[in-house]
Structures are given as structure tokens and as C-alpha cells.
Amino acid sequence: MADEFSAPEGERSRSASASPTTELRDKIRDDISSTRELVKETSAAGLEEAKEAVSEQAHFAARQMSGVATALEKVGAELEHSDQRQVGRYARQLGRSVASAARRVEGKNLDEMAVLAEDFGRRQPIAFLGIAALAGLTASRFLTASAKRAEKARTPAPPAQAFASASKDNQNG
């Protein structure tokens, strides 16, 4: 006659060969192993999505850089025709460097762009710093604008009745 509180037939034989702590340890190892695999798969997918997003943003940045390069070249040309020839020459050279960097960035993946940026930074350190400053300014303006939009979205609109009473007070006062 089987005891009501004893382990079922299949578990009894396994329990006899292994202690409960060993079973628990094996179960924890299995759980940790499966969790590691899940984290690896998830992080790989997330990394790939991040790379794609960065590549899209980099292509957008390359187009913007082309516009900046054109503007620098035009400003340089105007300055060369005025009293500031040296500054104009430098501005045109900077514009050409930025245009060249933009052409090289377009169509590259994230890893290739990192190598190009490093190479450009070594060859043209002043232009690289200028671009970095411009990118920082652009990013800060973007984040500021995004924060303001998010703040407006969170602030609920006052009810129409409050506007009506406020306008009556202004007319009376």
C-alpha cells in the first residue's frame, strides 16, 4: 500500500539516486543555461536592430553633411572674393572635406563608418572636431525639442468650462 505523502513511482527512483539539493542545483543550472541562451538571442536581435537604426541615421546625417558642405563652400567662395581670402580658402577646404566624408559615409554599415570616422579624424582633425561639435549641437537641439513635445503631450488640456469662466472674469475685470 502506497503512502499518500510519498513521491510518485517515477520520482521515487530518481530521488533515491540524487538528493533534493542536487536536483535543485541541476534545475537552477538548466534555468540559468536557458536564460543565457535567451539573453544571447535577444541581445543579438537588439544589436542588429540598433545597427540598422544607426545606419539609417548615419545616411540621414550624410545627406545633412552634404548640405553643410555646400553651404561652407559657398561661404568660402564669398569670403575669398571679399577682404578675408584666407578664411574663405579655409572654409572652402573644410567644405570639400565634409563633402568627401559625406560621400564616403553614404551606403556604409556601422562598422565601416566607424573606421571611416577614425581615419577622417586622423587626417582632418580640425574638420572632425567641427563636425563633432555640429553633431553635438544638432543632437542637443533634437533632444530639447523632443523633451518639449513629450512634456506637451503629458500636460492635459484644461476643460472648456475653465476657459469660459476665465474669459468672463477678464471681461468683467
Side-chain angles (χ1 to χ4, degrees):
M1 177 158 146
D3 185 9
E4 283 183 47
F5 299 106
S6 64
E9 195 66 33
E11 289 184 22
R12 227 181 290 148
S13 62
R14 193 174 63 182
S15 297
S17 64
S19 69
T21 55
T22 305
E23 288 179 20
L24 183 59
R25 191 177 320 136
D26 292 342
K27 173 94 171 96
I28 290 172
R29 278 189 193 140
D30 290 343
D31 289 348
I32 289 173
S33 177
S34 62
T35 302
R36 280 183 184 155
E37 288 300 316
L38 180 64
V39 166
K40 283 181 186 178
E41 291 171 8
T42 306
S43 63
L47 181 61
E48 195 58 39
E49 287 179 24
K51 281 184 177 183
E52 288 177 23
V54 168
S55 291
E56 288 175 18
Q57 291 301 316
H59 298 310
F60 175 76
R63 289 190 299 276
Q64 297 301 314
M65 284 171 55
S66 294
V68 168
T70 302
L72 282 170
E73 289 182 36
K74 285 181 182 178
V75 167
E78 288 180 22
L79 288 172
E80 281 183 325
H81 295 302
S82 69
D83 295 341
Q84 301 175 349
R85 292 177 192 247
Q86 188 65 26
V87 175
R89 195 173 307 124
Y90 183 72
R92 285 183 80 178
Q93 182 183 7
L94 183 61
R96 286 185 200 119
S97 296
V98 171
S100 173
R103 281 190 301 273
R104 283 183 290 190
V105 166
E106 191 64 39
K108 304 285 190 229
N109 67 25
L110 184 60
D111 298 330
E112 292 169 330
M113 285 187 287
V115 170
L116 287 174
E118 186 178 333
D119 184 50
F120 181 72
R122 274 196 222 107
R123 288 185 294 110
Q124 299 285 337
I126 294 173
F128 182 79
L129 290 175
I131 292 169
L134 184 62
L137 177 65
T138 304
S140 69
R141 290 180 58 94
F142 173 75
L143 291 174
T144 303
S146 296
K148 287 178 183 175
R149 273 187 262 133
E151 186 177 304
K152 285 181 183 178
R154 278 183 280 174
T155 307
Q161 187 178 8
F163 280 109
S165 63
S167 63
K168 286 180 185 176
D169 290 341
N170 288 339
Q171 290 172 355
N172 295 335

